[in-house]
Amino acid sequence: MSTDPMGTTWYAWLTSNNLKVNRLASNTPTAGTAVTVDSSGDYDSVADVQYVGSLIRVIVRKSADEKPYAFQSEDMGSTWTGPTDIS
Amino acid sequence: MAYTRAVAKLVFDNAHADGRITEKGIGRDWEAHEPRDEQPSGFTVNLAGQWGWQYAGIFEYIDKLRAIGPIGQWSMANMSIAAWTQTQGSWQQYWAANPGLTMLHFYSGGTGLVATDGYGILTSTGNYTPNLLFYLWRFAPRADETDPALFQIIFQGNGTGPQYALCFPAHKQTGTYYQGQTNTSGEYSTAPYLMGKPVGESYWAVIDKQDSSAGPGVARFAGEAIFQALKIEQTAETLLITDGEGDTWAFSGTWKSQAGADVDFAITEGPIQIRVIGHSAMFAVDQLSYPDGEILPPQRSFFVPADYNQTPNYELVDDTDPNTSISVVAEDAGGGRTYPKVTFGTTDNKHRATLYCVQEHRAATIGAASSSPVSTDGNANLRLVDLSWTIDERWRGSRFSARVGADPGQTLTTVKPNQKATAYLSTDDGSSFETLFTGYTLAPNRRNPSGLLEVEAEIEAHDIIEARLRQKHMDDHCSYEGWAENEAVEEILNRAGVPPALMNVDASLTDALPNGSQKGARKLKFRPDSDPVQALDTIAEIRARKWGVGTDGIIFWREAEEHESGYYDFTLDDDTTTQELIAEEISLERGVEEFCNYLKVYVGEGDDMVGRLKQDADSLSDPTARDYTGDIWQRIKFYPDGEDADAITEQLWAELNCFQDVLSWRMWDQAWLLPDHYVRVQASNLDVPTNSIYRIIRKQGQATGGDQGEFSQDLTAVLVEEGS
C-alpha cells in the first residue's frame, strides 16, 4: 500500500492468478476501478506498492524462483509494464 | 537729441477690481499606495495603521504597482482533454485527490524525450487572457533524464503580436531544449524566466528572470513531487506572477528581440500552449474572473469647512483597456464630509482595471469684482510726478516706481497696498495710450518734501506674479499628472485667486501632462511649501512653454515662440532722420556667461529617463567661428518631470549655444516695443552685420507726468539671427 503525492492510496493484491491494482482517494472510502496488471499466475505474494518519481510500482514475488519482480505504470495505473527482475 | 512729448498717467483701482476669492478651493489625492508598505520588513502591518481603502475581500492592493484592482476569482473545474489539441507526447485526464479535480497529465516523462521530440505539447482550443490560475503537480524527473525539468506556458496571442512564454525550470543546469529555443550555447536558467518572440522570428529572447522563490524550488523538486499554484495576471501592461509563497515577480516595459527589435510588452488574448519537458506533470488551469460593478470606498471621508467649495470633482490616475472602466462619484458622508466612490467595470470579466489615485479638486470661486478707478490724469489729489518701470523677457518681476503728489492745499489720495495699478503712456497728445504696466501696489511711502507745502508719495507696484502669486502656496492641491495641460494651469491659477479675465491660457494645449513610469508614485505633486510660480515653472519647463504676465496684467500661457528667419517687428537704423525712430547711445557687448557648446539633457526619471546631447564642434575647433572658445563648456540639465526631451533640448540649446551679443539703445518714442519683439539692426558704426536681428530681452522706461511730460526707454536685445 502506498500513497502518491496527490493523496491517493494505491494497493495491490493477488486473486485467482491475477495481480490487481486499485486506488482509494485518501479523503473518501471510494475505490476506483481495479486494473489487472498480470494474469499469469506466476506470483504468490505482493511485497510492496511504491510511488517512485512519477511511477507507480508493484513488487511481487515469483513462485518459481522466489525472486522479486516489478511491474510499473507511468500513467497513473492505466497501463503497466513488466515484470522486471529486480533481485 | 530726439524728443517726444508724452502724456503718462496712472490708474489705481480696488484690490478686487477683477474679483477676489469668495469661496476657497481645495484639493487632495486619494492614493492607492499604502504607506505601510514602505515600512521596513519585520514590522507588523499594524504599526502603520489601517489600510486606506475598504477592500472587503473584493479588491486587493497590488504592491508591485502601488495600485488597487479587483481580485481575480477562480473555480477550477475539472479539465477536459477534449478542449485541447494533443500536439506531442502522451497525455491523459487524471483525477487527483488533491486538489480534488481532473487534471491533464503528461506521463511519458522518460529519458531522451527532447532529442526524439517526445516531450509534451498541448494547445488549448479556446482563447485565454493572461489572467490565469494554474494548479500544477510536477513529478520528480527520472535520474537518467537528459534535459532539465521545465514547465512552459506559451501565450500564443492573437497571431499578430509577439508570443510570450513563461518558463518554470528545475533540477539541472544543462540541457538542449533551452538552447534550441533561444539559439544559445552553454546557457541555461534555473530561475523562472520569461521569453518573447515577435511574429516572423525563429528564436525566443529571454526578457526577464525571476531571482526569488516563485519557482518550483530546485532543491526540493529533485527528490519529490511538488504542487504549485501559479497566479498569472497581466495588469496595467505588467505581468504579475506569484505562487503564493515568495515575492510577486513582475515585468513590464520594452524588451529587445533576438533579431534586435524593440518590443513593448503586452500579451494578447489567444490560445495557450503547455509544454512539459524533462519530467512528467499534470495541470489544471482556469481563467480568472473579475467582478463587474464592484465599489471601492476609502476608509475615511474628507471634511471641508463651510467657506470652501463643497462640491468635489475627481480625476483618475488609472489603467483601463477596451474591456474595463473605472468611474468615480462623490458620496456624501454627512457633516460636510464626502468621499470618492470608485466603481470598477469589466465587460468580459477577463480583464481588470487598476486604480492608482483619485485626484480630488474643488475650484475656488472668484467673484465680488468691484471697480472704482482713480486716475492721476487731471487729478489735483493724485498727480503723477514721474514714473519708471521695467519689464524683461521672463515676463515676470515687472515693476514700476512712481512719485505722486497732491496740488498745493489738496489732500493726497491714499493708495493702499495691493491696489490694482496701471500705467499708461501716450505719445500723441493723449489720443491713444499704451499700457505700460499692470500690477499691484506695495505699501506707499508718503513724505513731505522739505520746503514744499505739498505732499508726495512714492509708490511701487509689482506684477501679479510677484505681488500675488508669490503670496500663495501649493498647499491642499492634488497632483496634476494626467491632467490636460491647460486645465492644470487654469486650476493652479484659479486656486491662487486669479480671475478668469486675467488668464489667457492657450486652449489648444490640451495634451495630458505626463504620468510617472510607475503610476503608483505621484508626479507633479507639488510640495505644500512651494508656490504656484514654482509649480507653473515646472509644468512650463517640461512642456517647453512660455508663461508670464503681459503689460495688460493678463497671465498668458502659450507655446514658446521660435524666431522665424527674417522676421522682425522694428528696424533700428542709426542713420534715420525720422524723429520718432531715432535711437541713441547704441552699444554692443558680447557676453559668454551662459554660453555652452556641450549640452546634456536628461528628461524623465527611472526607467523612462532619456538623454539628449548637443555639441557645437566649431566652437571647440574652428578659430574662425563666431563662437569659438577652443574649449568644451559643458552644461548638464535634469528634468525629472519632463516628457519631451527633444523639445526641451532644442529650446535650451537655442538659449545657451550662442554668445550673448547684447545690443542696448535708448529711444524717446515707440513705447510699444516690448520684450520678445524682434529688431532688425542697420548700424554702420557697430560690429554688427547689417540686417542682423535681435530679440528684445529687457525694457526700462521712464516718464514724467503732466501734459508736457517726457518719455524715454532703454532697450536691451540679444542677437538671434546674424545678418549678411
Side-chain angles (χ1 to χ4, degrees):
Chain A
M1 187 174 293
S2 179
T3 302
D4 72 21
M6 287 80 75
T8 298
T9 301
W10 294 83
Y11 54 98
W13 73 99
L14 289 165
T15 176
S16 303
N17 293 331
N18 293 323
L19 172 60
K20 295 202 171 220
V21 171
N22 206 346
R23 58 187 177 184
L24 190 69
S26 62
N27 56 351
T28 73
T30 307
T33 303
V35 174
T36 300
V37 177
D38 181 85
S39 56
S40 64
D42 293 343
Y43 308 98
D44 57 15
S45 65
V46 175
D48 200 2
V49 178
Q50 301 173 340
Y51 187 86
V52 181
S54 59
L55 304 176
I56 307 291
R57 184 175 291 157
V58 177
I59 312 294
V60 292
R61 192 181 76 155
K62 195 169 185 177
S63 310
D65 57 12
E66 298 185 344
K67 289 181 178 179
Y69 286 77
F71 293 89
Q72 63 184 31
S73 170
E74 60 181 6
D75 59 1
M76 293 295 173
S78 297
T79 59
W80 292 84
T81 57
T84 303
D85 181 354
I86 58 171
S87 61
Chain B
M1 180 186 75
Y3 172 76
T4 296
R5 192 176 66 187
V7 179
K9 67 178 181 182
L10 298 176
V11 175
F12 297 97
D13 207 338
N14 295 330
H16 56 290
D18 299 298
R20 60 177 171 78
I21 294 176
T22 55
E23 186 179 56
K24 299 186 188 79
I26 197 168
R28 61 163 292 178
D29 284 333
W30 300 82
E31 291 198 66
H33 175 216
E34 296 283 0
R36 68 183 187 179
D37 276 346
E38 301 299 307
Q39 301 294 321
S41 60
F43 286 78
T44 71
V45 294
N46 291 336
L47 288 177
Q50 193 179 20
W51 291 110
W53 298 80
Q54 298 179 37
Y55 298 116
I58 299 169
F59 295 94
E60 64 181 346
Y61 178 64
I62 309 164
D63 61 348
K64 289 289 183 184
L65 301 177
R66 294 179 170 181
I68 298 172
I71 296 173
Q73 299 162 351
W74 69 93
S75 54
M76 201 59 87
N78 288 330
M79 298 292 290
S80 170
I81 196 78
W84 297 74
T85 302
Q86 298 182 58
T87 307
Q88 185 170 292
S90 300
W91 294 85
Q92 66 174 0
Q93 292 180 182
Y94 180 75
W95 183 84
N98 287 313
L101 55 85
T102 301
M103 302 175 76
L104 301 184
H105 180 206
F106 169 69
Y107 59 89
S108 51
T111 182
L113 294 181
V114 170
T116 59
D117 284 341
Y119 55 88
I121 302 177
L122 199 63
T123 307
S124 71
T125 55
N127 292 335
Y128 290 87
T129 67
N131 300 308
L132 303 170
L133 192 91
F134 273 90
Y135 286 166
L136 303 182
W137 271 112
R138 303 181 65 183
F139 304 106
R142 290 166 47 143
D144 56 356
E145 175 57 72
T146 55
D147 231 74
L150 177 68
F151 189 87
Q152 195 170 53
I153 305 162
I154 297 177
F155 297 92
Q156 295 186 325
N158 59 12
T160 62
Q163 293 188 12
Y164 293 89
L166 269 173
C167 311
F168 299 91
H171 195 48
K172 290 182 180 177
Q173 291 187 310
T174 59
T176 57
Y177 182 76
Y178 174 95
Q179 294 162 20
Q181 284 198 313
T182 58
N183 194 30
T184 56
S185 176
E187 294 183 16
Y188 194 63
S189 173
T190 56
Y193 54 97
L194 173 67
M195 301 194 299
K197 184 175 72 171
V199 172
E201 291 194 23
S202 301
Y203 297 105
W204 294 88
V206 176
I207 59 182
D208 195 34
K209 291 184 180 180
Q210 190 205 22
D211 295 327
S212 59
S213 60
V218 172
R220 193 159 52 93
F221 186 49
E224 60 186 84
I226 60 168
F227 179 78
Q228 288 180 279
L230 295 172
K231 191 176 183 185
I232 300 166
E233 291 179 288
Q234 181 175 262
T235 297
E237 289 111 32
T238 301
L239 191 64
L240 303 165
I241 304 113
T242 180
D243 67 351
E245 293 180 3
D247 196 14
T248 298
W249 172 26
F251 176 80
S252 67
T254 303
W255 54 278
K256 192 171 282 296
S257 74
Q258 278 264 357
D262 288 324
V263 183
D264 289 329
F265 177 79
I267 300 177
T268 54
E269 185 171 355
I272 57 173
Q273 186 176 83
I274 305 300
R275 294 188 174 202
V276 183
I277 296 99
H279 68 321
S280 63
M282 58 179 70
F283 75 94
V285 62
D286 196 16
Q287 177 78 62
L288 291 174
S289 176
Y290 299 102
D292 178 40
E294 293 290 350
I295 293 170
L296 174 72
Q299 291 282 9
R300 293 177 173 80
S301 55
F302 185 38
F303 172 72
V304 174
D307 57 337
Y308 284 77
N309 183 345
Q310 294 296 304
T311 306
N313 294 290
Y314 300 114
E315 313 296 332
L316 292 167
V317 182
D318 60 8
D319 258 306
T320 58
D321 60 31
N323 300 296
T324 59
S325 62
I326 297 186
S327 59
V328 58
V329 295
E331 186 76 4
D332 187 357
R337 293 180 173 276
T338 57
Y339 62 85
K341 194 169 73 171
V342 185
T343 303
F344 288 69
T346 171
T347 57
D348 62 2
N349 300 104
K350 295 195 290 186
H351 299 79
R352 68 170 171 174
T354 46
L355 173 72
Y356 301 95
C357 182
V358 178
Q359 298 164 321
E360 176 172 339
H361 57 100
R362 306 175 187 222
T365 302
I366 315 288
S370 175
S371 178
S372 305
V374 176
S375 173
T376 59
D377 191 17
N379 189 338
N381 301 100
L382 191 65
R383 175 171 43 81
L384 176 62
V385 178
D386 55 38
L387 167 71
S388 64
W389 70 100
T390 61
I391 185 168
D392 65 31
E393 61 178 336
R394 297 179 305 123
W395 293 99
R396 73 174 68 159
S398 304
R399 57 182 60 194
F400 80 57
S401 180
R403 282 192 304 156
V404 294
D407 285 349
Q410 300 294 317
T411 302
L412 181 63
T413 299
T414 299
V415 176
K416 297 177 182 175
N418 203 31
Q419 275 196 256
K420 186 176 183 180
T422 310
Y424 299 96
L425 183 81
S426 171
T427 55
D428 56 7
D429 290 331
S431 295
S432 61
F433 281 87
E434 294 284 341
T435 303
L436 304 174
F437 173 89
T438 303
Y440 299 88
T441 57
L442 307 183
N445 177 18
R446 293 168 67 97
R447 61 184 174 138
N448 286 309
S450 175
L452 298 176
L453 295 177
E454 58 189 336
V455 177
E456 280 189 2
E458 285 187 1
I459 298 172
E460 281 195 43
H462 292 177
D463 64 30
I464 190 172
I465 295 174
E466 295 301 321
R468 291 190 161 183
L469 266 58
R470 291 286 189 194
Q471 302 290 343
K472 313 292 194 306
H473 284 293
M474 294 298 291
D475 191 23
D476 291 327
H477 278 254
C478 64
S479 58
Y480 288 96
E481 60 180 296
W483 279 52
E485 178 187 328
N486 59 331
E487 292 178 4
V489 172
E490 288 174 352
E491 176 81 6
I492 293 170
L493 291 173
N494 162 272
R495 293 286 309 283
V498 179
L502 297 185
M503 296 181 203
N504 182 15
V505 178
D506 188 336
S508 69
L509 302 178
T510 58
D511 285 352
L513 295 174
N515 291 109
S517 56
Q518 293 289 329
K519 284 186 176 178
R522 301 279 59 78
K523 198 165 186 173
L524 297 174
K525 174 75 173 175
F526 300 105
R527 287 171 53 105
D529 60 350
S530 63
D531 62 41
V533 181
Q534 292 169 294
L536 293 170
D537 279 346
T538 299
I539 297 173
E541 203 168 60
I542 64 177
R543 279 295 166 82
R545 303 297 187 221
K546 183 133 190 169
W547 81 284
V549 57
T551 57
D552 54 5
I554 295 175
I555 294 173
F556 63 85
W557 182 278
R558 62 180 184 238
E559 291 185 275
E561 63 275 351
E562 292 182 10
H563 173 60
E564 292 179 21
S565 180
Y567 176 81
Y568 60 93
D569 300 290
F570 177 73
T571 298
L572 179 66
D573 182 353
D574 65 349
D575 293 330
T576 186
T577 56
T578 304
Q579 186 175 7
E580 290 79 11
L581 303 180
I582 290 175
E584 294 188 357
E585 300 181 34
I586 304 174
S587 64
L588 182 68
E589 294 178 13
R590 179 160 296 174
V592 296
E593 292 83 4
E594 298 296 322
F595 176 78
C596 78
N597 52 27
Y598 179 102
L599 173 66
K600 265 187 179 175
V601 177
Y602 294 96
V603 175
E605 58 188 343
D607 293 341
D608 288 346
M609 179 181 279
V610 295
R612 295 288 185 272
L613 172 65
K614 301 284 281 188
Q615 298 185 77
D616 178 356
D618 289 348
S619 173
L620 172 65
S621 57
D622 181 1
T624 65
R626 188 176 173 85
D627 62 353
Y628 175 70
T629 61
D631 198 2
I632 297 175
W633 290 9
Q634 294 177 308
R635 293 285 184 282
I636 311 293
K637 300 277 189 179
F638 288 89
Y639 297 89
D641 288 321
E643 187 179 37
D644 190 339
D646 291 325
I648 292 172
T649 304
E650 290 303 325
Q651 186 183 31
L652 269 178
W653 187 243
E655 292 172 8
L656 300 176
N657 181 236
C658 60
F659 279 177
Q660 292 279 297
D661 275 2
V662 182
L663 187 70
S664 303
W665 71 97
R666 172 168 289 183
M667 300 186 77
W668 287 265
D669 206 315
Q670 312 304 315
W672 60 274
L673 283 172
L674 288 169
D676 288 338
H677 278 137
Y678 292 96
V679 177
R680 184 178 65 168
V681 176
Q682 296 174 341
S684 55
N685 296 322
L686 293 173
D687 180 22
V688 175
T690 299
N691 293 329
S692 291
I693 296 175
Y694 285 71
R695 180 174 61 86
I696 296 175
I697 60 169
R698 187 165 51 249
K699 168 177 175 168
Q700 181 172 343
Q702 41 276 321
T704 56
D707 293 341
Q708 304 296 316
E710 297 178 14
F711 160 68
S712 66
Q713 60 180 346
D714 297 296
L715 296 158
T716 306
V718 293
L719 180 68
V720 294
E721 182 181 339
E722 198 166 332
S724 54

